[in-house]
Amino acid sequence: MLRVAVVGSGPGGCYTAQSLVQQDPDVLVDVLDRLPCPYGLVRYGVAPDHEKIKSLQNNLRAVLEHERVRFLGGVQIGPGGVPAERLRELYHAVVYCVGAATDRHLGIPGEDLPGSWSATEFVSWYSAHPDAVDDGFVLGARSAVVIGVGNVAVDVTRMLARGPAELTPTDMPQAALTALAASRVTDVSMVGRRGPSQARFTTKELRELGTLPDTDVSVDGDELALDPAYAEPSGLPAPQRRNVEVLRRWAETPAQEAGHHIRLRFFLRPVELLAEGGRVGAVRFERTVPDGQGGVTGTGRYEDVEAQLVLRSVGYRGVPLAGLPFDPATGTVPHLAGRVLREGRVAPGEYVAGWIKRGPTGVIGTNRSDAKETVTALLADASALAREERPEDPLAALRAQGVEPVGWTGWCAIERAEAELGASLGRGVVKLPDWRSLMAAAHESAP
């Protein structure tokens, strides 16, 4: 009987658990997570108004309800919790699916001014992540600049332009809903340092900006024309070609009177955040031009864009996990087909999947094939791993160390509490936003 610990209950972890129980009829899988709630970025990273993507939780739920899979939430791995070495003593194999837990920085003056945040922090706030800070993101702001042109940048831009009528039906925490409903932000600039043909957003996400009520979307045709592929996009891959076509249409549409204005800007590189009254007041950009090799070069011409709120959305990054090797250049754990490498040699019984394995690339579905590769390697090693002696039930050993996980019944109790909170507010399900309320609900586990 092979016992496997999967660390992380987001898509990477759930697809790993699913692949294990599908391919091995005897394996038992414990899915451990630092949070008392499962689903990772599907719960805490997908925008609350994207119900279709959030419905993926139903697929992940089916995995965690499998008879040979057990969810153990609220379990910290590493400092202050269960050391990686101890986990390896309790399970025949451990698969780390811990994602990419931090954001990339711009590395420019003024980046740490009040009013300057990572998009990750903003998303965590309106998604009710228990580690989020409620620090008045939109308070006093009239104009916002979103730095980056990927799907997360589109998400936060859209959330800033949404009105209370569209946000109230979502599961957004009440405090965030109240703050966004009272927001005076009317102008949002989403800015990329390269051209439209290199933007990372998907066309579906991009088009959604054009459907927002009482919102005008504008694009500067002169900026688009700096992109060599703009005049003749037929040679671009289909997704990029569709993006260019949408942007071209907006550039040719006259501006409309509206309550919110979204401006998509290209070929502008942030060089400094400028202070006003002790907080951010504007972003200074340098105009860039294509360098002929897929990158851009500066022109020495600058433009200041007003902003009392700046959200940087320039990518996620993995962080080291105590007890595991880490490559700071890539932000990943060194591996061979998912097998962890220590000083270039395979570490028996240790595996990785998801973003900590390949970096923050791909879409949610990419984790399926990624997990399958890792599980194939693990099961190829299974006969040797199963010969090692392990406790009959690792949970008993964890509890003996003072670890008291939130099990599936605890998570179901959190779900009931969120439904009850929503009903009391005249809304649908409303997320509990902090550790105290989550843990209190988890311990009300009686149906």
Side-chain angles (χ1 to χ4, degrees), residues 145-341:
V145 165
V146 179
I147 298 172
V149 283
N151 278 345
V152 174
V154 175
D155 278 350
V156 298
T157 297
R158 192 179 66 254
M159 298 307 292
L160 286 168
R162 284 275 192 212
E166 299 113 67
L167 295 177
T168 299
T170 73
D171 61 6
M172 178 181 287
Q174 188 65 25
L177 174 63
T178 301
L180 287 171
S183 167
R184 294 190 295 121
V185 173
T186 55
D187 290 273
V188 186
S189 297
M190 188 170 76
V191 188
R193 64 185 176 87
R194 297 194 292 180
S197 68
Q198 296 168 311
R200 297 295 187 91
F201 42 61
T202 56
T203 310
K204 182 176 182 295
E205 293 262 359
L206 179 65
R207 284 185 180 133
E208 203 171 350
L209 293 177
T211 67
L212 297 174
D214 195 27
T215 301
D216 175 62
V217 181
S218 64
V219 190
D220 185 334
D222 290 339
E223 285 184 348
L224 297 181
L226 292 171
D227 190 330
Y230 177 68
E232 184 43 70
S234 60
L236 290 172
Q240 284 75 31
R241 187 177 67 249
R242 288 192 292 266
N243 286 345
V244 167
E245 288 165 356
V246 172
L247 293 166
R248 185 193 300 277
R249 203 158 51 243
W250 285 341
E252 294 168 352
T253 302
Q256 309 290 318
E257 283 296 322
H260 290 96
H261 297 273
I262 295 173
R263 295 176 176 85
L264 275 67
R265 305 290 308 275
F266 296 94
F267 292 110
L268 290 172
R269 176 167 60 199
V271 294
E272 186 177 1
L273 270 55
L274 306 175
E276 182 179 305
R279 56 179 293 117
V280 68
V283 184
R284 177 161 294 165
F285 290 97
E286 180 182 17
R287 168 66 64 199
T288 62
V289 291
D291 64 5
Q293 298 176 321
V296 291
T297 185
T299 64
R301 302 198 309 274
Y302 297 90
E303 176 182 342
D304 295 350
V305 178
E306 180 191 348
Q308 298 79 38
L309 170 64
V310 175
L311 299 172
R312 66 176 182 271
S313 181
V314 290
Y316 292 96
R317 181 169 175 77
V319 296
L321 189 66
L324 279 185
F326 186 74
D327 180 355
T330 60
T332 60
V333 171
H335 70 93
L336 179 65
R339 296 179 177 94
V340 171
L341 296 175

Side-chain angles (χ1 to χ4, degrees), residues 122-142:
F122 188 59
V123 170
S124 292
W125 169 66
Y126 67 58
S127 299
H129 193 292
D131 291 338
V133 292
D134 183 358
D135 212 1
F137 288 92
V138 295
L139 194 63
R142 304 177 304 278

Side-chain angles (χ1 to χ4, degrees), residues 42 107 261 271 294 367 432:
V42 175
H261 297 273
V271 294
N367 290 288
L432 298 173

Side-chain angles (χ1 to χ4, degrees), residues 395-429:
L395 180 55
L398 288 170
R399 284 179 168 149
Q401 291 180 228
V403 177
E404 195 51 57
V406 173
W408 193 250
T409 55
W411 160 239
C412 292
I414 291 172
E415 288 187 305
R416 287 196 299 274
E418 292 184 336
E420 290 164 6
L421 173 61
S424 74
L425 295 168
R427 297 173 59 195
V429 170

